[in-house]
Amino acid sequence: MSEHAGLPSVRWSLRGLNEEGDEAWLIRGVSRKLYRCPGCHGEIEIGAEHTVVQYVRRLGGTEHHHWHRRCAEELLVPQLQGLKRVPAGESSQDKLEARGRRKSGQRRRR
Ligand SMILES: [Zn+2]
């Protein structure tokens, strides 16, 4: 495995759980506008390869942030449990949003 085995690529995304039990999906992205990295509060330049962190909340709903690859690897990855590589196709925006809705549906009481 390369030194970047812990980083998302075109083929692979990563999925782990944060301490609240929410899923955190790390997905390779290329920025189409300027983003601010929550790790270092610095800018991510347009066109830069970076890491999209998409949360699927335990109680339903999704939320995503754009991180520098290095910041995600150094600051976020160590906080995640059970981090696994998953095929990038599993981490498309609509699949993850559907996942968030399903979780929300399970929680509903009738
Ligand atoms: Zn950063």
Side-chain angles (χ1 to χ4, degrees), residues 2-62:
S2 77
E3 59 184 300
H4 295 302
L7 289 170
S9 67
V10 177
R11 292 185 57 200
W12 299 101
S13 298
L14 298 161
R15 184 187 65 209
L17 291 178
N18 71 7
E19 51 190 12
E20 282 89 41
D22 301 326
E23 291 177 352
W25 293 69
L26 277 60
I27 305 157
R28 175 192 173 272
V30 175
S31 40
R32 276 170 287 189
K33 57 179 194 173
L34 212 57
Y35 294 114
R36 196 165 288 278
C37 169
C40 67
H41 305 291
E43 288 178 349
I44 302 171
E45 287 177 21
I46 296 170
E49 189 177 27
H50 66 285
T51 298
V52 180
V53 180
Q54 176 102 37
Y55 291 101
V56 178
R57 299 290 180 202
R58 192 166 54 91
L59 299 178
T62 57

Side-chain angles (χ1 to χ4, degrees), residues 37-44 67-72 75:
C37 169
C40 67
H41 305 291
E43 288 178 349
I44 302 171
W67 289 70
H68 289 119
R69 284 167 71 81
R70 180 167 289 274
C71 293
L75 302 173

Side-chain angles (χ1 to χ4, degrees), residues 76-89:
L76 193 63
V77 165
Q79 299 173 25
L80 298 177
Q81 301 190 346
L83 201 68
K84 278 190 195 129
R85 256 181 8 164
V86 289

